[in-house]
Coordinates of all heavy atoms in Angstrom, one line a residue:
A389 N -67.9 27.5 27.0 CA -67.0 28.4 27.7 C -67.2 28.2 29.2 O -68.3 28.1 29.8 CB -67.4 29.9 27.4
G390 N -66.0 28.0 29.9 CA -66.0 27.8 31.3 C -66.2 26.4 31.8 O -66.1 26.2 32.9
S391 N -66.4 25.5 30.9 CA -66.7 24.1 31.3 C -65.6 23.2 30.7 O -65.4 23.2 29.5 CB -68.0 23.6 30.8 OG -68.1 23.6 29.4
G392 N -64.9 22.5 31.6 CA -63.8 21.6 31.1 C -62.5 22.2 31.1 O -62.4 23.5 31.0
S393 N -61.5 21.4 31.0 CA -60.1 22.0 31.0 C -59.7 22.2 29.6 O -60.2 21.6 28.6 CB -59.1 21.0 31.7 OG -59.2 19.7 31.0
P394 N -58.7 23.1 29.3 CA -58.2 23.3 27.9 C -57.7 22.0 27.3 O -57.0 21.3 28.0 CB -57.1 24.4 28.1 CG -57.4 25.0 29.4 CD -58.1 24.0 30.3
G395 N -58.0 21.8 26.0 CA -57.5 20.7 25.3 C -58.3 19.4 25.5 O -58.1 18.4 24.9
T396 N -59.3 19.5 26.4 CA -60.2 18.3 26.6 C -61.2 18.2 25.5 O -61.9 19.2 25.2 CB -60.9 18.4 28.0 OG1 -59.9 18.5 29.0 CG2 -61.8 17.1 28.2
P397 N -61.4 17.1 24.8 CA -62.4 17.0 23.7 C -63.8 17.2 24.3 O -64.2 16.7 25.3 CB -62.2 15.6 23.2 CG -61.6 14.8 24.3 CD -60.7 15.8 25.0
V398 N -64.6 18.1 23.6 CA -65.9 18.4 24.0 C -66.9 17.7 23.0 O -66.9 18.0 21.8 CB -66.2 19.9 24.1 CG1 -67.6 20.2 24.6 CG2 -65.2 20.5 25.0
P399 N -67.8 16.8 23.5 CA -68.7 16.2 22.6 C -69.7 17.2 22.0 O -70.1 18.2 22.7 CB -69.4 15.1 23.4 CG -69.3 15.7 24.8 CD -68.0 16.4 24.9
P400 N -70.1 17.0 20.8 CA -71.1 17.9 20.2 C -72.5 17.7 20.8 O -72.7 16.7 21.5 CB -71.1 17.5 18.7 CG -70.6 16.1 18.7 CD -69.7 16.0 19.8
P401 N -73.4 18.6 20.5 CA -74.8 18.4 21.1 C -75.4 17.1 20.6 O -75.0 16.5 19.6 CB -75.5 19.6 20.5 CG -74.5 20.6 20.1 CD -73.3 19.8 19.7
P402 N -76.4 16.6 21.4 CA -77.1 15.4 21.0 C -77.6 15.4 19.6 O -78.2 16.4 19.2 CB -78.2 15.2 22.1 CG -77.7 16.0 23.2 CD -76.9 17.2 22.6
G403 N -77.5 14.3 18.9 CA -78.0 14.3 17.5 C -77.1 14.8 16.5 O -77.3 14.6 15.3
E404 N -76.0 15.5 16.9 CA -75.0 16.0 15.9 C -73.9 15.1 15.6 O -73.3 15.1 14.5 CB -74.5 17.3 16.5 CG -73.6 18.1 15.5 CD -73.1 19.4 16.1 OE1 -73.5 19.8 17.2 OE2 -72.3 20.1 15.4
A405 N -73.6 14.2 16.6 CA -72.4 13.3 16.4 C -72.6 12.4 15.2 O -71.7 12.3 14.4 CB -72.2 12.5 17.7
R406 N -73.8 11.7 15.1 CA -73.9 10.8 14.0 C -73.9 11.5 12.6 O -73.5 11.0 11.6 CB -75.2 10.0 14.2 CG -75.2 9.1 15.4 CD -76.4 8.1 15.3 NE -76.3 7.2 14.2 CZ -75.5 6.1 14.2 NH1 -74.9 5.8 15.3 NH2 -75.5 5.4 13.1
L407 N -74.4 12.7 12.6 CA -74.4 13.5 11.4 C -73.0 13.9 11.0 O -72.6 13.8 9.8 CB -75.3 14.7 11.5 CG -75.4 15.7 10.3 CD1 -75.9 15.0 9.1 CD2 -76.2 16.9 10.6
E408 N -72.2 14.4 11.9 CA -70.9 15.0 11.6 C -69.8 14.0 11.6 O -68.8 14.2 10.9 CB -70.6 16.1 12.6 CG -71.4 17.3 12.5 CD -70.9 18.4 13.4 OE1 -70.3 18.1 14.4 OE2 -71.3 19.6 13.1
A409 N -69.9 12.9 12.3 CA -68.8 11.9 12.4 C -68.9 10.8 11.4 O -68.2 9.9 11.5 CB -68.8 11.4 13.8
R410 N -69.9 10.9 10.5 CA -69.9 9.8 9.5 C -68.8 9.9 8.5 O -68.5 11.0 7.9 CB -71.3 9.9 8.7 CG -72.5 9.4 9.5 CD -73.7 9.4 8.6 NE -73.6 8.5 7.5 CZ -73.8 7.2 7.6 NH1 -74.2 6.6 8.7 NH2 -73.7 6.4 6.6
L411 N -68.0 8.8 8.4 CA -66.9 8.8 7.5 C -67.1 8.0 6.3 O -66.2 7.9 5.4 CB -65.6 8.3 8.3 CG -65.0 9.2 9.3 CD1 -64.2 8.5 10.3 CD2 -64.2 10.3 8.6
E412 N -68.3 7.3 6.2 CA -68.5 6.4 5.0 C -68.6 7.2 3.7 O -68.2 6.7 2.7 CB -69.8 5.6 5.2 CG -69.7 4.6 6.3 CD -70.0 5.1 7.7 OE1 -70.1 6.4 7.8 OE2 -70.1 4.3 8.6
A413 N -69.1 8.4 3.8 CA -69.3 9.2 2.6 C -68.9 10.7 2.9 O -69.3 11.2 3.9 CB -70.7 9.2 2.0
L414 N -68.1 11.3 2.0 CA -67.7 12.7 2.2 C -68.8 13.6 1.6 O -69.6 13.2 0.7 CB -66.4 13.0 1.4 CG -65.1 12.8 2.2 CD1 -64.9 11.3 2.5 CD2 -63.9 13.3 1.4
P415 N -69.0 14.8 2.2 CA -70.0 15.7 1.6 C -69.7 16.0 0.2 O -68.6 16.0 -0.3 CB -69.8 17.0 2.5 CG -69.1 16.5 3.7 CD -68.3 15.4 3.3
G416 N -70.8 16.4 -0.5 CA -70.6 16.7 -1.9 C -69.7 17.9 -2.1 O -69.7 18.8 -1.3
G417 N -69.0 17.9 -3.3 CA -68.1 19.0 -3.6 C -66.7 18.8 -3.1 O -65.8 19.7 -3.4
I418 N -66.4 17.7 -2.4 CA -65.0 17.5 -1.9 C -64.3 16.6 -2.9 O -63.2 16.9 -3.4 CB -65.0 16.9 -0.5 CG1 -65.5 18.0 0.5 CG2 -63.6 16.5 -0.1 CD1 -65.5 17.6 1.9
L419 N -64.8 15.4 -3.1 CA -64.2 14.4 -4.1 C -64.7 14.5 -5.5 O -64.1 14.0 -6.4 CB -64.3 13.0 -3.5 CG -63.4 12.7 -2.3 CD1 -63.5 11.2 -1.9 CD2 -61.9 13.0 -2.6
D420 N -65.9 15.1 -5.6 CA -66.5 15.1 -7.0 C -66.2 16.4 -7.7 O -67.1 17.1 -8.1 CB -68.0 14.9 -6.8 CG -68.7 15.9 -5.9 OD1 -68.0 16.6 -5.2 OD2 -69.9 15.9 -5.9
T421 N -64.9 16.6 -7.9 CA -64.5 17.8 -8.7 C -63.7 17.3 -9.9 O -63.2 16.1 -9.9 CB -63.6 18.7 -7.8 OG1 -62.4 18.0 -7.5 CG2 -64.3 19.1 -6.5
G422 N -63.6 18.2 -10.9 CA -62.8 17.8 -12.1 C -61.4 17.4 -11.8 O -60.8 16.5 -12.4
A423 N -60.7 18.2 -10.9 CA -59.3 18.0 -10.6 C -59.1 16.6 -10.0 O -58.2 15.9 -10.3 CB -58.8 19.1 -9.7
V424 N -60.0 16.2 -9.0 CA -59.9 14.9 -8.4 C -60.2 13.8 -9.3 O -59.5 12.8 -9.3 CB -60.9 14.9 -7.2 CG1 -60.9 13.5 -6.6 CG2 -60.5 15.9 -6.1
R425 N -61.2 14.0 -10.2 CA -61.5 12.9 -11.2 C -60.3 12.7 -12.2 O -60.0 11.6 -12.5 CB -62.8 13.2 -11.9 CG -64.0 13.0 -11.1 CD -65.3 13.0 -11.9 NE -65.5 14.4 -12.4 CZ -66.2 15.3 -11.8 NH1 -66.8 15.1 -10.6 NH2 -66.4 16.5 -12.3
T426 N -59.7 13.8 -12.5 CA -58.6 13.7 -13.4 C -57.4 13.0 -12.8 O -56.7 12.1 -13.3 CB -58.1 15.1 -13.9 OG1 -59.2 15.8 -14.6 CG2 -56.9 15.0 -14.8
W427 N -57.2 13.3 -11.5 CA -56.1 12.6 -10.7 C -56.4 11.2 -10.6 O -55.5 10.3 -10.8 CB -56.0 13.3 -9.3 CG -55.2 12.4 -8.4 CD1 -53.9 12.3 -8.2 CD2 -55.8 11.5 -7.4 NE1 -53.6 11.4 -7.2 CE2 -54.7 10.9 -6.7 CE3 -57.1 11.1 -7.1 CZ2 -54.9 10.0 -5.7 CZ3 -57.3 10.2 -6.1 CH2 -56.2 9.6 -5.4
A428 N -57.6 10.8 -10.2 CA -58.0 9.4 -10.1 C -57.9 8.6 -11.4 O -57.3 7.5 -11.4 CB -59.4 9.3 -9.5
G429 N -58.3 9.2 -12.5 CA -58.2 8.6 -13.8 C -56.8 8.4 -14.2 O -56.4 7.3 -14.7
G430 N -56.0 9.3 -14.0 CA -54.6 9.2 -14.3 C -53.8 8.1 -13.5 O -52.8 7.6 -14.0
L431 N -54.4 7.8 -12.3 CA -53.7 6.9 -11.4 C -54.1 5.4 -11.8 O -53.2 4.5 -11.9 CB -54.1 7.1 -10.0 CG -53.4 6.3 -8.9 CD1 -51.9 6.5 -9.0 CD2 -53.9 6.7 -7.5
V432 N -55.4 5.2 -12.0 CA -55.9 3.8 -12.2 C -56.5 3.4 -13.5 O -56.8 2.3 -13.7 CB -56.9 3.4 -11.0 CG1 -56.2 3.5 -9.7 CG2 -58.1 4.3 -11.1
D433 N -56.7 4.4 -14.4 CA -57.3 4.1 -15.7 C -56.3 3.2 -16.4 O -55.1 3.4 -16.4 CB -57.6 5.4 -16.5 CG -58.9 6.0 -16.1 OD1 -59.6 5.4 -15.3 OD2 -59.2 7.1 -16.6
G434 N -56.9 2.3 -17.2 CA -56.1 1.4 -18.0 C -55.8 0.1 -17.3 O -55.3 -0.8 -18.0
L435 N -56.2 -0.1 -16.1 CA -56.1 -1.4 -15.4 C -57.0 -2.4 -16.1 O -58.2 -2.1 -16.3 CB -56.4 -1.3 -13.9 CG -55.3 -0.8 -13.0 CD1 -55.8 -0.6 -11.6 CD2 -54.1 -1.7 -13.0
E436 N -56.6 -3.6 -16.4 CA -57.5 -4.6 -16.9 C -58.5 -5.0 -15.8 O -58.3 -4.8 -14.6 CB -56.7 -5.9 -17.3 CG -55.7 -5.7 -18.4 CD -54.9 -7.0 -18.7 OE1 -55.5 -8.1 -18.4 OE2 -53.8 -6.9 -19.1

Side-chain angles (χ1 to χ4, degrees):
S391 61
S393 58
T396 303
V398 181
E404 190 178 351
R406 295 193 63 84
L407 174 64
E408 289 187 337
R410 286 186 62 84
L411 284 160
E412 290 83 352
L414 271 67
I418 293 183
L419 287 183
D420 54 350
T421 65
V424 172
R425 286 191 293 271
T426 299
W427 164 83
L431 186 61
V432 299
D433 276 355
L435 280 173
E436 297 180 26

